[in-house]
Amino acid sequence: MIGEGAHIEFIAWAYIGVTVLTVALVAYVVWDSFRVDARLKALDKAGIRRRSDESKR
Amino acid sequence: MSVDTVKQPNWFSRLAHPGQFLAWSRYLVWPLAIATLLSFAVGLWFAFLNSPEDYQMGDMVRVMYVHVPNAWLSQLVYGVMAVSALGTLVWRHPLADVANKAAAPLGAVFTALALYTGALWGRPTWGTFWEWDGRMTSTLVLLLIYLGIIALWRAFDDQLKAGRIIAIVTLVGALNIPIIKFSVDWWNTLHQPASVFTASGPKMPVSILTPLLVMMLAFTLLFALLQVIRMRTEILRRRAETLSRQAALQGASR
């Protein structure tokens, strides 16, 4: 188990930095995915869709 | 030519067709997300609560559980990009440049995290945050290559043309990977030699190796999850751009 020995601040900053950047990366990837989905839905709403999608309707 | 003699695409080609990829990869997202979360939970439990101090470094060994997985991924992601580059240049595979574009920002973040955690590990153990030695400098070069590739993808409107040029750049940049790997053997360096992936097996006790391997699995699953989502997003983005262009052309011709 981790103690409260020397250099605890280096360990803390390492994990905080990794957590912040990893969460930011995941958030960006998910936000980008939703943004593209929304753009495709807007195009579809405007009647702009692929011919293969129209044939499925 | 009769219909019977037309060569049917093999299973791999069918699986990797962008439309097919969108269809089957959607079933990967949630299982990968759950496996990633579980692996992180187990890995962090090991890292903080169920692993001993190192006899030399003390608790600083716990930084290794985030440093080594990110260093491993910085090179693995580039390997994925190099294989994708071959797919673009040799087989003109439709998903290859999508995979390359999707992976580049992920590789850049993992490399930045490897440098960041390495610096924090280095200060108490070596007495310095940074040293221009072979391992650290070649890893910094890798980060710059990733950033260059991201910038190139953004610089081109024609993504197919960009894919071919970036594939060549990616393969040239791949020369840096063996330099990173063997830098600790070729030059005098502060960085310790390989201690996980060696010909004679890992050089550390099981109590420290276990959390390390679980955290490596967790970060690798995270990469797989983000790569699948980003590839799906890139395919849909290209579809949206094509539709927007077609709509604009139709509007102009009316």
Side-chain angles (χ1 to χ4, degrees):
Chain A
M1 184 185 271
I2 190 167
E4 292 175 17
H7 312 310
I8 190 79
E9 69 274 20
F10 289 97
I11 302 168
W13 278 113
Y15 278 85
I16 289 168
V18 169
T19 305
V20 167
L21 208 53
T22 305
V23 168
L25 178 68
V26 172
Y28 166 72
V29 168
V30 172
W31 169 77
D32 193 36
S33 165
F34 282 144
R35 197 175 55 139
V36 171
D37 270 347
R39 189 176 163 195
L40 270 173
K41 277 181 188 149
L43 285 167
D44 190 64
K45 210 171 173 183
I48 303 161
R49 58 181 74 95
R50 299 193 320 157
R51 265 175 286 177
S52 56
D53 291 339
E54 277 175 1
S55 63
K56 285 178 198 164
R57 285 165 186 252
Chain B
M1 193 191 299
S2 73
V3 174
D4 293 340
T5 57
V6 173
K7 194 179 173 190
Q8 293 295 315
N10 61 28
W11 67 270
F12 182 71
S13 301
R14 285 202 302 271
L15 211 62
H17 179 274
Q20 293 284 326
F21 176 82
L22 282 178
W24 64 260
S25 65
R26 68 196 302 182
Y27 299 109
L28 282 180
V29 173
W30 279 108
L32 273 174
I34 292 164
T36 303
L37 281 173
L38 285 176
S39 308
F40 269 115
V42 174
L44 289 170
W45 174 73
F46 267 119
F48 285 111
L49 302 173
N50 197 24
S51 61
E53 291 179 13
D54 180 74
Y55 78 103
Q56 275 184 322
M57 289 184 281
D59 274 324
M60 277 307 291
V61 73
R62 298 181 206 283
V63 176
M64 180 177 72
Y65 304 138
V66 281
H67 172 70
V68 174
N70 280 296
W72 143 256
L73 276 179
S74 69
Q75 295 169 56
L76 177 79
V77 174
Y78 205 88
V80 168
M81 287 171 59
V83 172
S84 303
L86 279 176
T88 298
L89 292 174
V90 179
W91 299 290
R92 303 260 165 126
H93 199 288
L95 277 187
D97 60 333
V98 169
N100 185 303
K101 187 176 179 183
L106 307 180
V109 170
F110 293 130
T111 309
L113 284 174
L115 289 168
Y116 169 74
T117 51
L120 285 169
W121 197 8
R123 183 69 182 86
T125 48
W126 301 333
T128 179
F129 284 110
W130 182 262
E131 183 67 39
W132 291 100
D133 81 340
R135 175 59 68 88
M136 287 176 252
T137 308
S138 54
T139 305
L140 179 63
V141 169
L142 179 63
L143 176 62
L144 296 176
I145 292 171
Y146 275 125
L147 296 178
I149 289 171
I150 294 167
L152 275 175
W153 274 117
R154 287 172 174 265
F156 284 88
D157 282 333
D158 182 349
Q159 297 287 282
L160 288 178
K161 190 178 174 188
R164 275 177 230 127
I165 293 167
I166 291 166
I168 294 166
V169 173
T170 303
L171 288 177
V172 173
L175 292 173
N176 190 41
I177 297 299
I179 294 175
I180 297 173
K181 168 75 181 150
F182 296 110
S183 56
V184 288
D185 303 321
W186 291 342
W187 298 298
N188 284 327
T189 168
L190 277 176
H191 200 284
Q192 67 180 64
S195 51
V196 180
F197 299 112
T198 67
S200 56
K203 296 175 183 168
M204 57 180 73
V206 176
S207 57
I208 288 178
L209 183 64
T210 305
L212 178 61
L213 291 179
V214 176
M215 287 297 276
M216 286 175 77
L217 174 69
F219 274 99
T220 307
L221 285 169
L222 175 68
F223 162 62
L225 170 67
L226 296 180
Q227 176 73 358
V228 167
I229 296 174
R230 277 190 54 78
M231 283 179 70
R232 291 176 56 81
T233 304
E234 181 59 24
I235 292 167
L236 293 174
R237 189 193 328 274
R238 291 180 183 192
R239 194 173 279 184
E241 278 162 13
T242 305
L243 286 172
S244 301
R245 211 172 299 128
Q246 283 171 358
L249 284 172
Q250 283 167 6
S253 64
R254 276 178 199 156

